[in-house]
Amino acid sequence: MKISRQPTPVTIKIDQKQLENVKCFKYLGSLLTDDGRCTCEIKSRIAMAKAAFSKKKNLFTSKLDLNLRKKLVKCYIWSIALYGAETWTLRAVDQKHLESFEMWCWRRMEKISWTDYVRNEEVLIRVSEQRNILHEIRKRKANWIGHVLRRNCLLKEAIEGKIDGRIEVTRRRGRRRKKMLDDLGDRRGYCHLKEKALDRIKWRNCFGRDCGPVVLTDY
């Protein structure tokens, strides 16, 4: 797979056999695409989570206690949907897909059809919930990035862009492409973010559950 703005294919031969150029493939359970985005992976994860919900629909829609059913959904369904979410770079369209999936879970759990014309706010009141899925992703990403920034490893160098080599950079029109660390962005810059990561207590206090709303920004 070649991830580049140039459409020219890459020719690699091993034992006189040319490797196939592909646009996407699965690696360790995650779907990688040649555009470098996470949209296809997120859609795939949501589809698998919905299928898992349908298999256990009788359990999630039963007369069990509401809090117990919510815990089952977050444990059994959200864990499928959010597999590998620590490495996602979320655009506005991806965030909307995830929030729609979150509301889909609560509506199915309470047997609320779209033809009932019940607003999302009313659904959240019925299940005593707030929109949490984006906060959960941000918290998972913060925990993972914190471990990476406290170590001296190849992954840290890749995130910081310190890999040796030359690359031809051509400026495109429009705003810059969103990066993985932008979800945790600090107005004082990456160096301040890295400094906070060295202090585990400060890092956890900064990116705990009550870390503030997730702002939808499209890049």
Side-chain angles (χ1 to χ4, degrees), residues 70-71 74 78 82 85 90 95 98-103 105-106 124 127-140 208-214:
K70 288 193 298 182
K71 289 180 180 179
K74 290 181 179 181
W78 282 25
L82 302 184
L90 298 179
Q95 294 174 349
L98 290 164
E99 287 196 321
S100 297
F101 164 72
E102 181 181 13
M103 294 308 306
C105 291
W106 303 141
L124 292 173
V127 297
S128 302
E129 278 288 336
Q130 297 178 351
R131 291 183 180 268
N132 292 323
I133 197 164
L134 294 181
H135 291 289
E136 179 64 25
I137 293 174
R138 188 168 186 248
K139 185 170 68 174
R140 291 188 183 191
R209 172 61 188 86
D210 300 323
C211 55
V214 177

PDB file of all heavy atoms in Angstrom, residues 70-71 74 78 82 85 90 95 98-103 105-106 124 127-140 208-214:
ATOM      1  N   LYS A  70     -27.418  -0.661  30.554  1.00  0.00           N
ATOM      2  CA  LYS A  70     -26.484   0.331  30.024  1.00  0.00           C
ATOM      3  C   LYS A  70     -25.044  -0.150  30.184  1.00  0.00           C
ATOM      4  O   LYS A  70     -24.218   0.031  29.277  1.00  0.00           O
ATOM      5  CB  LYS A  70     -26.677   1.678  30.740  1.00  0.00           C
ATOM      6  CG  LYS A  70     -27.955   2.393  30.368  1.00  0.00           C
ATOM      7  CD  LYS A  70     -27.955   3.836  30.850  1.00  0.00           C
ATOM      8  CE  LYS A  70     -27.866   3.936  32.354  1.00  0.00           C
ATOM      9  NZ  LYS A  70     -27.916   5.350  32.805  1.00  0.00           N
ATOM     10  N   LYS A  71     -24.742  -0.767  31.320  1.00  0.00           N
ATOM     11  CA  LYS A  71     -23.394  -1.301  31.537  1.00  0.00           C
ATOM     12  C   LYS A  71     -23.089  -2.424  30.544  1.00  0.00           C
ATOM     13  O   LYS A  71     -21.966  -2.536  30.045  1.00  0.00           O
ATOM     14  CB  LYS A  71     -23.257  -1.801  32.965  1.00  0.00           C
ATOM     15  CG  LYS A  71     -23.217  -0.693  34.013  1.00  0.00           C
ATOM     16  CD  LYS A  71     -23.090  -1.266  35.421  1.00  0.00           C
ATOM     17  CE  LYS A  71     -23.049  -0.157  36.467  1.00  0.00           C
ATOM     18  NZ  LYS A  71     -22.946  -0.687  37.849  1.00  0.00           N
ATOM     19  N   LYS A  74     -22.313  -0.816  27.124  1.00  0.00           N
ATOM     20  CA  LYS A  74     -20.994  -0.185  27.081  1.00  0.00           C
ATOM     21  C   LYS A  74     -19.872  -1.222  27.131  1.00  0.00           C
ATOM     22  O   LYS A  74     -18.810  -1.027  26.526  1.00  0.00           O
ATOM     23  CB  LYS A  74     -20.862   0.799  28.239  1.00  0.00           C
ATOM     24  CG  LYS A  74     -21.733   2.038  28.095  1.00  0.00           C
ATOM     25  CD  LYS A  74     -21.552   3.002  29.254  1.00  0.00           C
ATOM     26  CE  LYS A  74     -22.417   4.239  29.088  1.00  0.00           C
ATOM     27  NZ  LYS A  74     -22.244   5.208  30.202  1.00  0.00           N
ATOM     28  N   TRP A  78     -19.923  -1.269  22.989  1.00  0.00           N
ATOM     29  CA  TRP A  78     -18.971  -0.179  22.777  1.00  0.00           C
ATOM     30  C   TRP A  78     -17.546  -0.684  22.651  1.00  0.00           C
ATOM     31  O   TRP A  78     -16.734  -0.087  21.934  1.00  0.00           O
ATOM     32  CB  TRP A  78     -19.064   0.828  23.931  1.00  0.00           C
ATOM     33  CG  TRP A  78     -20.246   1.743  23.835  1.00  0.00           C
ATOM     34  CD1 TRP A  78     -21.420   1.500  23.185  1.00  0.00           C
ATOM     35  CD2 TRP A  78     -20.373   3.050  24.413  1.00  0.00           C
ATOM     36  NE1 TRP A  78     -22.280   2.557  23.339  1.00  0.00           N
ATOM     37  CE2 TRP A  78     -21.670   3.519  24.076  1.00  0.00           C
ATOM     38  CE3 TRP A  78     -19.548   3.842  25.202  1.00  0.00           C
ATOM     39  CZ2 TRP A  78     -22.126   4.774  24.492  1.00  0.00           C
ATOM     40  CZ3 TRP A  78     -19.991   5.071  25.611  1.00  0.00           C
ATOM     41  CH2 TRP A  78     -21.268   5.547  25.255  1.00  0.00           C
ATOM     42  N   LEU A  82     -15.281   0.611  19.587  1.00  0.00           N
ATOM     43  CA  LEU A  82     -14.156   1.489  19.884  1.00  0.00           C
ATOM     44  C   LEU A  82     -12.812   0.767  19.896  1.00  0.00           C
ATOM     45  O   LEU A  82     -11.837   1.286  20.441  1.00  0.00           O
ATOM     46  CB  LEU A  82     -14.381   2.185  21.235  1.00  0.00           C
ATOM     47  CG  LEU A  82     -15.658   3.009  21.350  1.00  0.00           C
ATOM     48  CD1 LEU A  82     -15.705   3.723  22.692  1.00  0.00           C
ATOM     49  CD2 LEU A  82     -15.778   4.014  20.209  1.00  0.00           C
ATOM     50  N   ALA A  85      -9.590   2.736  18.975  1.00  0.00           N
ATOM     51  CA  ALA A  85      -9.973   4.151  18.889  1.00  0.00           C
ATOM     52  C   ALA A  85      -8.865   5.086  19.355  1.00  0.00           C
ATOM     53  O   ALA A  85      -8.888   6.280  19.045  1.00  0.00           O
ATOM     54  CB  ALA A  85     -11.243   4.395  19.711  1.00  0.00           C
ATOM     55  N   LEU A  90     -10.115  11.882  14.318  1.00  0.00           N
ATOM     56  CA  LEU A  90     -11.544  12.084  14.092  1.00  0.00           C
ATOM     57  C   LEU A  90     -11.826  13.416  13.403  1.00  0.00           C
ATOM     58  O   LEU A  90     -11.489  14.484  13.922  1.00  0.00           O
ATOM     59  CB  LEU A  90     -12.304  12.037  15.424  1.00  0.00           C
ATOM     60  CG  LEU A  90     -12.238  10.713  16.186  1.00  0.00           C
ATOM     61  CD1 LEU A  90     -13.002  10.825  17.492  1.00  0.00           C
ATOM     62  CD2 LEU A  90     -12.808   9.575  15.347  1.00  0.00           C
ATOM     63  N   GLN A  95     -17.021  12.016  13.820  1.00  0.00           N
ATOM     64  CA  GLN A  95     -17.640  12.257  15.111  1.00  0.00           C
ATOM     65  C   GLN A  95     -19.156  12.145  15.024  1.00  0.00           C
ATOM     66  O   GLN A  95     -19.800  11.608  15.929  1.00  0.00           O
ATOM     67  CB  GLN A  95     -17.226  13.639  15.628  1.00  0.00           C
ATOM     68  CG  GLN A  95     -15.744  13.741  15.938  1.00  0.00           C
ATOM     69  CD  GLN A  95     -15.320  15.146  16.313  1.00  0.00           C
ATOM     70  OE1 GLN A  95     -16.076  16.104  16.165  1.00  0.00           O
ATOM     71  NE2 GLN A  95     -14.096  15.292  16.799  1.00  0.00           N
ATOM     72  N   LEU A  98     -20.155   8.478  14.978  1.00  0.00           N
ATOM     73  CA  LEU A  98     -20.057   7.862  16.302  1.00  0.00           C
ATOM     74  C   LEU A  98     -21.191   8.313  17.218  1.00  0.00           C
ATOM     75  O   LEU A  98     -21.757   7.507  17.966  1.00  0.00           O
ATOM     76  CB  LEU A  98     -18.702   8.207  16.930  1.00  0.00           C
ATOM     77  CG  LEU A  98     -17.489   7.532  16.278  1.00  0.00           C
ATOM     78  CD1 LEU A  98     -16.198   8.213  16.684  1.00  0.00           C
ATOM     79  CD2 LEU A  98     -17.446   6.052  16.633  1.00  0.00           C
ATOM     80  N   GLU A  99     -21.543   9.580  17.175  1.00  0.00           N
ATOM     81  CA  GLU A  99     -22.651  10.069  18.001  1.00  0.00           C
ATOM     82  C   GLU A  99     -23.976   9.476  17.532  1.00  0.00           C
ATOM     83  O   GLU A  99     -24.857   9.191  18.353  1.00  0.00           O
ATOM     84  CB  GLU A  99     -22.696  11.588  17.974  1.00  0.00           C
ATOM     85  CG  GLU A  99     -21.581  12.239  18.779  1.00  0.00           C
ATOM     86  CD  GLU A  99     -21.853  13.695  19.063  1.00  0.00           C
ATOM     87  OE1 GLU A  99     -22.382  14.376  18.167  1.00  0.00           O
ATOM     88  OE2 GLU A  99     -21.537  14.152  20.179  1.00  0.00           O
ATOM     89  N   SER A 100     -24.127   9.299  16.235  1.00  0.00           N
ATOM     90  CA  SER A 100     -25.336   8.656  15.714  1.00  0.00           C
ATOM     91  C   SER A 100     -25.430   7.216  16.185  1.00  0.00           C
ATOM     92  O   SER A 100     -26.509   6.725  16.541  1.00  0.00           O
ATOM     93  CB  SER A 100     -25.346   8.709  14.177  1.00  0.00           C
ATOM     94  OG  SER A 100     -25.392  10.038  13.710  1.00  0.00           O
ATOM     95  N   PHE A 101     -24.285   6.518  16.205  1.00  0.00           N
ATOM     96  CA  PHE A 101     -24.264   5.148  16.705  1.00  0.00           C
ATOM     97  C   PHE A 101     -24.633   5.095  18.181  1.00  0.00           C
ATOM     98  O   PHE A 101     -25.366   4.205  18.627  1.00  0.00           O
ATOM     99  CB  PHE A 101     -22.871   4.546  16.495  1.00  0.00           C
ATOM    100  CG  PHE A 101     -22.615   3.302  17.290  1.00  0.00           C
ATOM    101  CD1 PHE A 101     -23.232   2.111  16.952  1.00  0.00           C
ATOM    102  CD2 PHE A 101     -21.771   3.331  18.402  1.00  0.00           C
ATOM    103  CE1 PHE A 101     -23.005   0.957  17.696  1.00  0.00           C
ATOM    104  CE2 PHE A 101     -21.544   2.191  19.143  1.00  0.00           C
ATOM    105  CZ  PHE A 101     -22.161   1.005  18.790  1.00  0.00           C
ATOM    106  N   GLU A 102     -24.132   6.054  18.963  1.00  0.00           N
ATOM    107  CA  GLU A 102     -24.460   6.113  20.389  1.00  0.00           C
ATOM    108  C   GLU A 102     -25.966   6.246  20.598  1.00  0.00           C
ATOM    109  O   GLU A 102     -26.557   5.527  21.410  1.00  0.00           O
ATOM    110  CB  GLU A 102     -23.730   7.284  21.034  1.00  0.00           C
ATOM    111  CG  GLU A 102     -23.976   7.426  22.521  1.00  0.00           C
ATOM    112  CD  GLU A 102     -23.246   8.607  23.125  1.00  0.00           C
ATOM    113  OE1 GLU A 102     -22.751   9.461  22.352  1.00  0.00           O
ATOM    114  OE2 GLU A 102     -23.169   8.688  24.362  1.00  0.00           O
ATOM    115  N   MET A 103     -26.592   7.141  19.835  1.00  0.00           N
ATOM    116  CA  MET A 103     -28.041   7.322  19.970  1.00  0.00           C
ATOM    117  C   MET A 103     -28.788   6.096  19.451  1.00  0.00           C
ATOM    118  O   MET A 103     -29.844   5.735  19.980  1.00  0.00           O
ATOM    119  CB  MET A 103     -28.481   8.577  19.204  1.00  0.00           C
ATOM    120  CG  MET A 103     -27.941   9.873  19.772  1.00  0.00           C
ATOM    121  SD  MET A 103     -28.256  10.061  21.549  1.00  0.00           S
ATOM    122  CE  MET A 103     -30.026   9.830  21.631  1.00  0.00           C
ATOM    123  N   CYS A 105     -27.874   3.025  19.798  1.00  0.00           N
ATOM    124  CA  CYS A 105     -27.863   2.040  20.888  1.00  0.00           C
ATOM    125  C   CYS A 105     -28.966   2.321  21.902  1.00  0.00           C
ATOM    126  O   CYS A 105     -29.715   1.407  22.293  1.00  0.00           O
ATOM    127  CB  CYS A 105     -26.505   2.043  21.591  1.00  0.00           C
ATOM    128  SG  CYS A 105     -25.135   1.394  20.619  1.00  0.00           S
ATOM    129  N   TRP A 106     -29.077   3.579  22.328  1.00  0.00           N
ATOM    130  CA  TRP A 106     -30.092   3.905  23.340  1.00  0.00           C
ATOM    131  C   TRP A 106     -31.498   3.772  22.790  1.00  0.00           C
ATOM    132  O   TRP A 106     -32.412   3.342  23.494  1.00  0.00           O
ATOM    133  CB  TRP A 106     -29.859   5.314  23.884  1.00  0.00           C
ATOM    134  CG  TRP A 106     -28.515   5.573  24.469  1.00  0.00           C
ATOM    135  CD1 TRP A 106     -27.763   6.711  24.348  1.00  0.00           C
ATOM    136  CD2 TRP A 106     -27.736   4.696  25.300  1.00  0.00           C
ATOM    137  NE1 TRP A 106     -26.577   6.610  25.026  1.00  0.00           N
ATOM    138  CE2 TRP A 106     -26.534   5.375  25.629  1.00  0.00           C
ATOM    139  CE3 TRP A 106     -27.925   3.410  25.796  1.00  0.00           C
ATOM    140  CZ2 TRP A 106     -25.548   4.803  26.424  1.00  0.00           C
ATOM    141  CZ3 TRP A 106     -26.929   2.837  26.590  1.00  0.00           C
ATOM    142  CH2 TRP A 106     -25.775   3.521  26.896  1.00  0.00           C
ATOM    143  N   LEU A 124     -32.121  10.667  25.687  1.00  0.00           N
ATOM    144  CA  LEU A 124     -31.070  10.728  26.701  1.00  0.00           C
ATOM    145  C   LEU A 124     -31.653  10.885  28.101  1.00  0.00           C
ATOM    146  O   LEU A 124     -31.130  10.321  29.072  1.00  0.00           O
ATOM    147  CB  LEU A 124     -30.117  11.892  26.396  1.00  0.00           C
ATOM    148  CG  LEU A 124     -29.249  11.735  25.132  1.00  0.00           C
ATOM    149  CD1 LEU A 124     -28.491  13.019  24.848  1.00  0.00           C
ATOM    150  CD2 LEU A 124     -28.287  10.568  25.281  1.00  0.00           C
ATOM    151  N   VAL A 127     -32.963   7.439  29.355  1.00  0.00           N
ATOM    152  CA  VAL A 127     -31.933   6.477  29.770  1.00  0.00           C
ATOM    153  C   VAL A 127     -30.958   7.087  30.787  1.00  0.00           C
ATOM    154  O   VAL A 127     -29.978   6.431  31.181  1.00  0.00           O
ATOM    155  CB  VAL A 127     -31.141   5.949  28.547  1.00  0.00           C
ATOM    156  CG1 VAL A 127     -32.057   5.195  27.612  1.00  0.00           C
ATOM    157  CG2 VAL A 127     -30.419   7.078  27.815  1.00  0.00           C
ATOM    158  N   SER A 128     -31.233   8.334  31.194  1.00  0.00           N
ATOM    159  CA  SER A 128     -30.386   9.025  32.184  1.00  0.00           C
ATOM    160  C   SER A 128     -28.920   9.037  31.749  1.00  0.00           C
ATOM    161  O   SER A 128     -28.017   8.657  32.495  1.00  0.00           O
ATOM    162  CB  SER A 128     -30.518   8.348  33.558  1.00  0.00           C
ATOM    163  OG  SER A 128     -31.864   8.350  33.989  1.00  0.00           O
ATOM    164  N   GLU A 129     -28.688   9.471  30.531  1.00  0.00           N
ATOM    165  CA  GLU A 129     -27.332   9.499  29.980  1.00  0.00           C
ATOM    166  C   GLU A 129     -27.051  10.842  29.334  1.00  0.00           C
ATOM    167  O   GLU A 129     -27.957  11.630  29.060  1.00  0.00           O
ATOM    168  CB  GLU A 129     -27.164   8.391  28.928  1.00  0.00           C
ATOM    169  CG  GLU A 129     -26.857   7.029  29.505  1.00  0.00           C
ATOM    170  CD  GLU A 129     -25.456   6.918  30.060  1.00  0.00           C
ATOM    171  OE1 GLU A 129     -24.568   7.682  29.637  1.00  0.00           O
ATOM    172  OE2 GLU A 129     -25.241   6.072  30.941  1.00  0.00           O
ATOM    173  N   GLN A 130     -25.776  11.111  29.086  1.00  0.00           N
ATOM    174  CA  GLN A 130     -25.320  12.221  28.272  1.00  0.00           C
ATOM    175  C   GLN A 130     -24.547  11.639  27.093  1.00  0.00           C
ATOM    176  O   GLN A 130     -24.291  10.442  27.048  1.00  0.00           O
ATOM    177  CB  GLN A 130     -24.422  13.164  29.080  1.00  0.00           C
ATOM    178  CG  GLN A 130     -25.123  13.838  30.246  1.00  0.00           C
ATOM    179  CD  GLN A 130     -24.185  14.732  31.037  1.00  0.00           C
ATOM    180  OE1 GLN A 130     -22.974  14.729  30.819  1.00  0.00           O
ATOM    181  NE2 GLN A 130     -24.753  15.495  31.949  1.00  0.00           N
ATOM    182  N   ARG A 131     -24.200  12.498  26.150  1.00  0.00           N
ATOM    183  CA  ARG A 131     -23.388  12.021  25.027  1.00  0.00           C
ATOM    184  C   ARG A 131     -21.971  11.779  25.527  1.00  0.00           C
ATOM    185  O   ARG A 131     -21.244  12.719  25.838  1.00  0.00           O
ATOM    186  CB  ARG A 131     -23.403  13.041  23.891  1.00  0.00           C
ATOM    187  CG  ARG A 131     -24.760  13.162  23.204  1.00  0.00           C
ATOM    188  CD  ARG A 131     -24.676  14.126  22.045  1.00  0.00           C
ATOM    189  NE  ARG A 131     -25.955  14.277  21.372  1.00  0.00           N
ATOM    190  CZ  ARG A 131     -26.370  13.561  20.336  1.00  0.00           C
ATOM    191  NH1 ARG A 131     -25.569  12.608  19.860  1.00  0.00           N
ATOM    192  NH2 ARG A 131     -27.538  13.771  19.777  1.00  0.00           N
ATOM    193  N   ASN A 132     -21.580  10.504  25.602  1.00  0.00           N
ATOM    194  CA  ASN A 132     -20.322  10.139  26.253  1.00  0.00           C
ATOM    195  C   ASN A 132     -19.296   9.506  25.330  1.00  0.00           C
ATOM    196  O   ASN A 132     -18.129   9.383  25.715  1.00  0.00           O
ATOM    197  CB  ASN A 132     -20.597   9.153  27.404  1.00  0.00           C
ATOM    198  CG  ASN A 132     -21.337   9.805  28.551  1.00  0.00           C
ATOM    199  OD1 ASN A 132     -21.101  10.959  28.864  1.00  0.00           O
ATOM    200  ND2 ASN A 132     -22.232   9.061  29.164  1.00  0.00           N
ATOM    201  N   ILE A 133     -19.689   9.078  24.148  1.00  0.00           N
ATOM    202  CA  ILE A 133     -18.795   8.231  23.359  1.00  0.00           C
ATOM    203  C   ILE A 133     -17.539   8.980  22.905  1.00  0.00           C
ATOM    204  O   ILE A 133     -16.432   8.435  22.898  1.00  0.00           O
ATOM    205  CB  ILE A 133     -19.547   7.617  22.149  1.00  0.00           C
ATOM    206  CG1 ILE A 133     -18.750   6.436  21.594  1.00  0.00           C
ATOM    207  CG2 ILE A 133     -19.844   8.657  21.085  1.00  0.00           C
ATOM    208  CD1 ILE A 133     -19.560   5.545  20.680  1.00  0.00           C
ATOM    209  N   LEU A 134     -17.673  10.268  22.555  1.00  0.00           N
ATOM    210  CA  LEU A 134     -16.508  11.039  22.142  1.00  0.00           C
ATOM    211  C   LEU A 134     -15.590  11.334  23.329  1.00  0.00           C
ATOM    212  O   LEU A 134     -14.360  11.358  23.189  1.00  0.00           O
ATOM    213  CB  LEU A 134     -16.942  12.351  21.478  1.00  0.00           C
ATOM    214  CG  LEU A 134     -17.694  12.209  20.153  1.00  0.00           C
ATOM    215  CD1 LEU A 134     -18.037  13.583  19.590  1.00  0.00           C
ATOM    216  CD2 LEU A 134     -16.889  11.415  19.129  1.00  0.00           C
ATOM    217  N   HIS A 135     -16.166  11.528  24.512  1.00  0.00           N
ATOM    218  CA  HIS A 135     -15.365  11.705  25.713  1.00  0.00           C
ATOM    219  C   HIS A 135     -14.585  10.429  26.027  1.00  0.00           C
ATOM    220  O   HIS A 135     -13.427  10.483  26.446  1.00  0.00           O
ATOM    221  CB  HIS A 135     -16.253  12.066  26.902  1.00  0.00           C
ATOM    222  CG  HIS A 135     -16.861  13.431  26.816  1.00  0.00           C
ATOM    223  ND1 HIS A 135     -16.140  14.586  26.968  1.00  0.00           N
ATOM    224  CD2 HIS A 135     -18.141  13.825  26.579  1.00  0.00           C
ATOM    225  CE1 HIS A 135     -16.933  15.634  26.851  1.00  0.00           C
ATOM    226  NE2 HIS A 135     -18.142  15.197  26.603  1.00  0.00           N
ATOM    227  N   GLU A 136     -15.222   9.274  25.822  1.00  0.00           N
ATOM    228  CA  GLU A 136     -14.556   7.997  26.074  1.00  0.00           C
ATOM    229  C   GLU A 136     -13.376   7.806  25.132  1.00  0.00           C
ATOM    230  O   GLU A 136     -12.296   7.354  25.550  1.00  0.00           O
ATOM    231  CB  GLU A 136     -15.555   6.853  25.898  1.00  0.00           C
ATOM    232  CG  GLU A 136     -14.986   5.463  26.110  1.00  0.00           C
ATOM    233  CD  GLU A 136     -14.513   5.224  27.529  1.00  0.00           C
ATOM    234  OE1 GLU A 136     -15.016   5.899  28.445  1.00  0.00           O
ATOM    235  OE2 GLU A 136     -13.631   4.363  27.723  1.00  0.00           O
ATOM    236  N   ILE A 137     -13.540   8.166  23.867  1.00  0.00           N
ATOM    237  CA  ILE A 137     -12.452   8.045  22.891  1.00  0.00           C
ATOM    238  C   ILE A 137     -11.303   8.977  23.270  1.00  0.00           C
ATOM    239  O   ILE A 137     -10.132   8.588  23.238  1.00  0.00           O
ATOM    240  CB  ILE A 137     -12.956   8.359  21.477  1.00  0.00           C
ATOM    241  CG1 ILE A 137     -13.944   7.284  21.012  1.00  0.00           C
ATOM    242  CG2 ILE A 137     -11.801   8.460  20.490  1.00  0.00           C
ATOM    243  CD1 ILE A 137     -14.603   7.578  19.687  1.00  0.00           C
ATOM    244  N   ARG A 138     -11.638  10.206  23.637  1.00  0.00           N
ATOM    245  CA  ARG A 138     -10.604  11.173  24.008  1.00  0.00           C
ATOM    246  C   ARG A 138      -9.847  10.716  25.244  1.00  0.00           C
ATOM    247  O   ARG A 138      -8.629  10.866  25.333  1.00  0.00           O
ATOM    248  CB  ARG A 138     -11.254  12.533  24.250  1.00  0.00           C
ATOM    249  CG  ARG A 138     -10.254  13.675  24.444  1.00  0.00           C
ATOM    250  CD  ARG A 138     -10.956  15.013  24.384  1.00  0.00           C
ATOM    251  NE  ARG A 138     -10.001  16.102  24.434  1.00  0.00           N
ATOM    252  CZ  ARG A 138      -9.881  16.953  25.459  1.00  0.00           C
ATOM    253  NH1 ARG A 138     -10.662  16.791  26.522  1.00  0.00           N
ATOM    254  NH2 ARG A 138      -9.017  17.927  25.439  1.00  0.00           N
ATOM    255  N   LYS A 139     -10.545  10.122  26.209  1.00  0.00           N
ATOM    256  CA  LYS A 139      -9.882   9.640  27.419  1.00  0.00           C
ATOM    257  C   LYS A 139      -8.961   8.466  27.102  1.00  0.00           C
ATOM    258  O   LYS A 139      -7.829   8.395  27.614  1.00  0.00           O
ATOM    259  CB  LYS A 139     -10.936   9.231  28.449  1.00  0.00           C
ATOM    260  CG  LYS A 139     -10.355   8.828  29.789  1.00  0.00           C
ATOM    261  CD  LYS A 139     -11.439   8.672  30.839  1.00  0.00           C
ATOM    262  CE  LYS A 139     -12.334   7.488  30.547  1.00  0.00           C
ATOM    263  NZ  LYS A 139     -13.306   7.235  31.634  1.00  0.00           N
ATOM    264  N   ARG A 140      -9.424   7.540  26.245  1.00  0.00           N
ATOM    265  CA  ARG A 140      -8.572   6.405  25.858  1.00  0.00           C
ATOM    266  C   ARG A 140      -7.338   6.885  25.112  1.00  0.00           C
ATOM    267  O   ARG A 140      -6.227   6.388  25.333  1.00  0.00           O
ATOM    268  CB  ARG A 140      -9.369   5.445  24.976  1.00  0.00           C
ATOM    269  CG  ARG A 140     -10.477   4.687  25.688  1.00  0.00           C
ATOM    270  CD  ARG A 140     -11.068   3.642  24.765  1.00  0.00           C
ATOM    271  NE  ARG A 140     -12.187   2.941  25.372  1.00  0.00           N
ATOM    272  CZ  ARG A 140     -12.730   1.848  24.856  1.00  0.00           C
ATOM    273  NH1 ARG A 140     -12.255   1.325  23.742  1.00  0.00           N
ATOM    274  NH2 ARG A 140     -13.741   1.261  25.461  1.00  0.00           N
ATOM    275  N   GLY A 208      -9.132  13.630  32.391  1.00  0.00           N
ATOM    276  CA  GLY A 208     -10.043  12.709  33.055  1.00  0.00           C
ATOM    277  C   GLY A 208     -11.405  12.743  32.417  1.00  0.00           C
ATOM    278  O   GLY A 208     -11.614  13.279  31.330  1.00  0.00           O
ATOM    279  N   ARG A 209     -12.404  12.183  33.111  1.00  0.00           N
ATOM    280  CA  ARG A 209     -13.762  12.122  32.556  1.00  0.00           C
ATOM    281  C   ARG A 209     -14.340  13.509  32.320  1.00  0.00           C
ATOM    282  O   ARG A 209     -15.005  13.761  31.339  1.00  0.00           O
ATOM    283  CB  ARG A 209     -14.667  11.327  33.516  1.00  0.00           C
ATOM    284  CG  ARG A 209     -16.148  11.357  33.161  1.00  0.00           C
ATOM    285  CD  ARG A 209     -16.389  10.750  31.792  1.00  0.00           C
ATOM    286  NE  ARG A 209     -17.759  10.948  31.364  1.00  0.00           N
ATOM    287  CZ  ARG A 209     -18.208  12.023  30.749  1.00  0.00           C
ATOM    288  NH1 ARG A 209     -17.405  13.036  30.496  1.00  0.00           N
ATOM    289  NH2 ARG A 209     -19.475  12.100  30.357  1.00  0.00           N
ATOM    290  N   ASP A 210     -14.094  14.453  33.243  1.00  0.00           N
ATOM    291  CA  ASP A 210     -14.667  15.782  33.111  1.00  0.00           C
ATOM    292  C   ASP A 210     -13.674  16.721  32.431  1.00  0.00           C
ATOM    293  O   ASP A 210     -13.291  17.761  32.959  1.00  0.00           O
ATOM    294  CB  ASP A 210     -15.040  16.345  34.491  1.00  0.00           C
ATOM    295  CG  ASP A 210     -16.064  15.464  35.198  1.00  0.00           C
ATOM    296  OD1 ASP A 210     -16.936  14.950  34.499  1.00  0.00           O
ATOM    297  OD2 ASP A 210     -15.970  15.299  36.428  1.00  0.00           O
ATOM    298  N   CYS A 211     -13.255  16.329  31.222  1.00  0.00           N
ATOM    299  CA  CYS A 211     -12.238  17.111  30.533  1.00  0.00           C
ATOM    300  C   CYS A 211     -12.832  18.125  29.586  1.00  0.00           C
ATOM    301  O   CYS A 211     -12.133  18.695  28.763  1.00  0.00           O
ATOM    302  CB  CYS A 211     -11.288  16.170  29.760  1.00  0.00           C
ATOM    303  SG  CYS A 211     -12.123  15.072  28.613  1.00  0.00           S
ATOM    304  N   GLY A 212     -14.129  18.355  29.668  1.00  0.00           N
ATOM    305  CA  GLY A 212     -14.751  19.367  28.828  1.00  0.00           C
ATOM    306  C   GLY A 212     -15.340  18.777  27.572  1.00  0.00           C
ATOM    307  O   GLY A 212     -15.106  17.641  27.208  1.00  0.00           O
ATOM    308  N   PRO A 213     -16.139  19.559  26.878  1.00  0.00           N
ATOM    309  CA  PRO A 213     -16.827  19.068  25.681  1.00  0.00           C
ATOM    310  C   PRO A 213     -15.882  18.860  24.521  1.00  0.00           C
ATOM    311  O   PRO A 213     -14.827  19.508  24.430  1.00  0.00           O
ATOM    312  CB  PRO A 213     -17.825  20.193  25.376  1.00  0.00           C
ATOM    313  CG  PRO A 213     -17.182  21.421  25.936  1.00  0.00           C
ATOM    314  CD  PRO A 213     -16.441  20.963  27.165  1.00  0.00           C
ATOM    315  N   VAL A 214     -16.239  17.952  23.636  1.00  0.00           N
ATOM    316  CA  VAL A 214     -15.480  17.725  22.417  1.00  0.00           C
ATOM    317  C   VAL A 214     -16.059  18.610  21.330  1.00  0.00           C
ATOM    318  O   VAL A 214     -17.252  18.549  21.026  1.00  0.00           O
ATOM    319  CB  VAL A 214     -15.552  16.246  21.984  1.00  0.00           C
ATOM    320  CG1 VAL A 214     -14.819  16.051  20.672  1.00  0.00           C
ATOM    321  CG2 VAL A 214     -14.939  15.369  23.060  1.00  0.00           C
TER     322      VAL A 214
END
